[in-house]
Amino acid sequence: MEEYDVIIIGAGLAGLHCARLLGRSGFRILLVDRKHSLDQSIHTTGIFVRRTLEDFAIPEECLGPGISDVTLYSPSRRSMKLKSEHQEFRIGRMGLLYDQYLTQCLHARVEWSPETSYLNHSVIPQGLIVRLDGRATTKSVRTRYLIGADGAKSRVAQDLQLDANREWIVGVEDVLTGVPLDGPPGLHCFMDPVRAPGYLAWVAHDGEETHIGVGGYSSMFTPVKALESFHDSIGNLFALKQAKRIERRGGRIPVGGVLRRIANNRGLLIGDAAGAVSPLTAGGLDPCLRLSTLAASVVAAYLETGNEDAFKSYSGELFRARFASRLWMRRLVANIRNPLLLELGCAALRLPLLSAFAWHVFFGRGSFPDVPMQEHRRLLADAN
Ligand SMILES: Cc1cc2nc3c(=O)[nH]c(=O)nc-3n(C[C@H](O)[C@H](O)[C@H](O)COP(=O)(O)OP(=O)(O)OC[C@H]3O[C@@H](n4cnc5c(N)ncnc54)[C@H](O)[C@@H]3O)c2cc1C
């Protein structure tokens, strides 16, 4: 029977990042994804924030031009502009990035198993037997440890009897080319309680790609219909007539905050599977890289020493305190469905105190989980 130190289920950003860190540390890693190819069925807009770009060396060719300008629109489409002196965001070319990270994994001798689904696992002395459903056959593989990077609705979390996401919003977007850029690259956020109840509609335009999307609570809207209606409603703001749609993306975004129980002596969770998404902004790329880095450190320590104390630093309880205010604000936003109230809220954002708050939400340097990256410098230096 094939034998590994770690099997990682899911080759999204979390699984790929963790696999390349552990692979470069010399462990025998099997990376599994049910997808045939990683540039298929991408479900993220791919906006990276400045802090991520500073801490993680994302390859330059996988990033679009920098964005410093944000425009916030009220339900009646009154706009408010925010500008930073820095390039705050860059839209990732995610298919290319996943492929490059996969190449790095392969160089680090990570074994790659595409078109393979995780089925279940059983516990044996000194490890686990994991059952995988491949292209032609179902096989059983032995591992010392299991990592669930299998997204918002994680089967691995359930089987490991760890916590599972219970609150999410749904996002859907079109990726377009051929939209002329009128002004600097920008992120446009629309408060639209009908087309994006509980979250936002957005246009992210960096001059090369344009992402037009809506997000909200699935019980309150029909995402694809809302996206089409949103498209129709912004024709006066963006010249979309000559645009060509190259992709439609979508998926669930967990917004209940990082889960409490995310590790035990059989396995742990990273990325969306761990609920590692900012509940307020619904940004998950920065948290997923930070938490995966911590996970790689903790798992390496466990595999080297066999000491389960390694997992004490990998508990959602330690991170949730930072989430309290974001969770509270998420609940507030979710419950304001009256367009008039939202309109008033947007008008209030022009007041100095609240405009500082809006600036902080978009350009603030807060990051979650605030894992001190200097402790992981050696691992990251190897990977970067
Ligand atoms: C529409 C949308 C837009 C977003 N935009 C942004 C943004 O601009 N910026 C930002 O910071 N965050 C954004 N997010 C959130 C962010 O994309 C996610 O938090 C992040 O991509 C999570 O990465 P992940 O690796 O944990 O999960 P995923 O990318 O979901 O990867 C999970 C992988 O597991 C595989 N898998 C699942 N089950 C199995 C199984 N049983 N067997 C084998 N493989 C399996 C899947 O095929 C998938 O490849 C967005 C989310 C959505 C839905």
Side-chain angles (χ1 to χ4, degrees):
M1 187 184 293
E2 292 166 56
E3 200 172 325
Y4 297 91
D5 291 315
V6 182
I7 297 180
I8 301 178
I9 310 295
L13 194 64
L16 286 163
H17 181 62
C18 196
R20 69 195 185 117
L21 293 181
L22 285 171
R24 286 182 184 189
S25 297
F27 296 105
R28 291 162 303 165
I29 309 295
L30 176 66
L31 177 63
V32 170
D33 202 292
R34 59 186 174 200
K35 284 187 194 172
H36 158 66
S37 148
L38 294 185
D39 57 5
Q40 287 177 342
S41 313
I42 293 170
H43 74 227
T44 182
T45 308
I47 300 173
F48 286 96
V49 296
R50 177 156 62 104
R51 199 166 169 208
T52 320
L53 299 170
E54 288 168 356
D55 282 346
F56 300 90
I58 312 274
E60 183 61 28
E61 64 275 21
C62 300
L63 295 165
I67 298 177
S68 308
D69 292 68
V70 171
T71 310
L72 189 59
Y73 297 83
S74 74
S76 72
R77 299 282 158 94
R78 279 167 61 95
S79 65
M80 173 178 156
K81 288 190 188 299
L82 300 164
K83 189 172 183 68
S84 168
E85 64 192 29
H86 302 285
Q87 296 193 342
E88 296 287 350
F89 310 107
R90 293 181 76 179
I91 305 176
R93 308 306 185 226
M94 298 307 286
L96 191 60
L97 180 61
Y98 293 153
D99 282 344
Q100 291 213 5
Y101 275 13
L102 181 59
T103 304
Q104 291 180 19
C105 287
L106 299 177
H107 282 148
R109 295 172 192 268
V110 170
E111 278 189 44
W112 166 229
S113 188
E115 285 184 88
T116 304
S117 291
Y118 164 85
L119 291 178
N120 54 39
H121 73 262
S122 52
V123 181
I124 53 165
Q126 319 255 300
L128 312 165
I129 302 285
V130 176
R131 285 199 345 118
L132 301 170
D133 189 17
R135 251 169 296 200
T137 50
T138 299
K139 63 176 178 179
S140 296
V141 188
R142 194 180 166 128
T143 185
R144 290 172 67 194
Y145 204 69
L146 179 63
I147 295 185
D150 53 339
K153 211 163 183 319
S154 166
R155 184 158 186 172
V156 176
Q158 193 185 322
D159 288 358
L160 287 171
Q161 291 165 323
L162 295 172
D163 286 349
N165 293 303
R166 299 200 189 291
E167 186 180 349
W168 41 65
I169 54 175
V170 174
V172 58
E173 69 164 24
D174 285 336
V175 187
L176 310 176
T177 55
V179 181
L181 186 62
D182 181 15
L187 176 60
H188 303 260
C189 298
F190 296 77
M191 308 287 271
D192 188 330
V194 176
R195 299 180 184 98
Y199 187 55
L200 291 170
W202 63 90
V203 177
H205 190 355
D206 66 11
E208 296 172 2
E209 283 187 358
T210 310
H211 296 244
I212 300 183
V214 295
Y217 286 94
S218 60
S219 58
M220 298 183 198
F221 79 143
T222 310
V224 171
K225 264 195 182 166
L227 177 62
E228 283 160 6
S229 159
F230 179 57
H231 251 275
D232 294 343
S233 77
I234 55 173
N236 59 334
L237 295 171
F238 302 92
L240 301 176
K241 288 223 169 76
Q242 307 297 322
K244 184 171 167 231
R245 186 172 93 185
I246 51 172
E247 251 180 280
R248 175 160 285 178
R249 300 178 177 178
R252 292 173 190 236
I253 312 176
V255 288
V258 66
L259 301 170
R260 288 188 164 78
R261 291 182 57 249
I262 54 175
N264 59 28
N265 60 359
R266 283 186 283 152
L268 59 69
L269 309 175
I270 53 179
D272 279 8
V277 176
S278 162
L280 186 60
T281 63
L285 298 176
D286 182 80
C288 119
L289 286 172
R290 286 177 202 280
L291 197 63
S292 304
T293 306
L294 177 63
S297 262
V298 160
V299 171
Y302 172 65
L303 292 175
E304 277 159 9
T305 62
N307 187 347
E308 293 177 15
D309 281 355
F311 299 120
K312 283 191 180 149
S313 63
Y314 200 82
S315 159
E317 293 284 5
L318 300 175
F319 310 127
R320 279 186 75 86
R322 275 189 62 87
F323 271 85
S325 61
R326 290 175 174 89
L327 274 168
W328 179 83
M329 282 188 271
R330 155 123 311 276
R331 306 255 141 81
L332 188 74
V333 171
N335 284 302
I336 305 181
R337 288 176 221 154
N338 183 324
L340 196 62
L341 265 182
L342 265 183
E343 195 67 43
L344 284 173
C346 288
L349 285 179
R350 292 170 193 282
L351 301 171
L353 193 66
L354 289 178
S355 103
F357 169 72
W359 204 94
H360 176 74
V361 168
F362 285 103
F363 303 141
R365 312 262 297 136
S367 204
F368 148 80
D370 211 0
V371 179
M373 283 298 130
Q374 59 275 16
E375 286 177 18
H376 307 285
R377 279 283 173 244
R378 191 184 54 79
L379 263 181
L380 283 173
D382 286 351
N384 291 338

